[in-house]
Amino acid sequence: MYICSCCISSRDIVATYSIEAKKLGLRILELLSEGLGLGSGFFGDKLRESLLLSVNHYPPCLDPSLTLGGDVYGLQVFKDREWIGVEPLHNVFVVNIGHQLQIISNNKLKSTEHQAVTNSRVARTTAAFFINPLDYCVREPDKSLIGTDESPTYRPFQFKEFLLNYLRLMGNPEKCLEPFELHA
């Protein structure tokens, strides 16, 4: 079996990058948990040992209107009922708050609705990193983040239950949290 040296070096680069991205992601989670008052080590052993890396390539599309967006930046976030392009900056990571942090914080942090769009002139490649809890890990609002005059917004559930629902709904941000919401 022959393996060219460019493949080995590319694999090594991706492996090193993944390790460093995981360190950065865990540090950001640590800072968020401290900022919320949950203390250092809140996530502890509740996270997967592996990091999910998703690499996507978007070739130029002559008619971007036929895809998920227009001839704009590649990443858009939904804010104030409109899609806003996120300007790509060198040496910058974009951090999206996910559903799990929204649940733990009892809606003090909000999940970021976002989409990727094509460009008619330029191809681009993205690398998205996901840090997820263990499948059996129970997700629910942390009691210390529920004010005395409020109730928990979500019922306790295992992450695998959320993930199955999320995949079934193809990530529909308007519907994926509904089965876990508590209604007063």
Side-chain angles (χ1 to χ4, degrees):
M1 179 169 153
Y2 173 75
I3 300 176
C4 70
S5 62
C6 67
C7 293
I8 293 171
S9 63
S10 295
R11 183 178 56 208
D12 291 344
I13 290 168
V14 170
T16 301
Y17 189 72
S18 296
I19 290 166
E20 295 304 315
K22 181 178 179 180
K23 286 180 191 175
L24 177 62
L26 293 175
R27 181 67 180 134
I28 290 169
L29 279 175
E30 186 77 13
L31 293 170
L32 283 169
S33 66
E34 288 176 11
L36 287 168
L38 298 172
S40 179
F42 174 79
F43 293 102
D45 60 355
K46 299 176 185 121
L47 300 173
R48 291 187 185 277
E49 280 301 312
S50 61
L51 177 79
L52 176 62
L53 167 62
S54 175
V55 178
N56 299 295
H57 180 72
Y58 302 91
C61 180
L62 295 179
D63 188 358
S65 66
L66 297 175
T67 61
L68 289 177
D71 188 11
V72 293
Y73 300 118
L75 176 64
Q76 294 180 336
V77 294
F78 196 67
K79 183 177 189 249
D80 300 327
R81 301 192 318 183
E82 69 176 305
W83 289 104
I84 300 169
V86 177
E87 182 178 352
L89 300 172
H90 291 286
N91 300 317
V92 172
F93 287 91
V94 175
V95 178
N96 289 337
I97 298 295
H99 297 299
Q100 303 309 301
L101 287 173
Q102 180 173 333
I103 292 161
I104 289 168
S105 72
N106 205 42
N107 287 338
K108 288 172 180 56
L109 298 176
K110 295 289 186 180
S111 177
T112 308
E113 188 174 347
H114 61 284
Q115 68 181 6
V117 295
T118 61
N119 187 297
S120 63
R121 298 178 307 277
V122 180
R124 68 185 184 86
T125 301
T126 63
F129 294 91
F130 301 88
I131 299 176
N132 289 321
L134 298 165
D135 287 346
Y136 62 84
C137 188
V138 174
R139 302 282 83 183
E140 65 183 313
D142 188 86
K143 290 171 184 33
S144 69
L145 297 177
I146 301 170
T148 55
D149 59 339
E150 63 181 328
S151 298
T153 307
Y154 305 97
R155 67 173 175 81
F157 59 90
Q158 288 187 342
F159 177 70
K160 66 181 176 183
E161 183 183 353
F162 168 82
L163 188 57
L164 290 172
N165 182 64
Y166 183 84
L167 295 172
R168 183 179 60 80
L169 295 171
M170 297 174 59
N172 182 330
E174 296 169 6
K175 301 281 185 189
C176 68
L177 291 178
E178 283 181 3
F180 311 104
E181 293 175 347
L182 294 172
H183 301 284

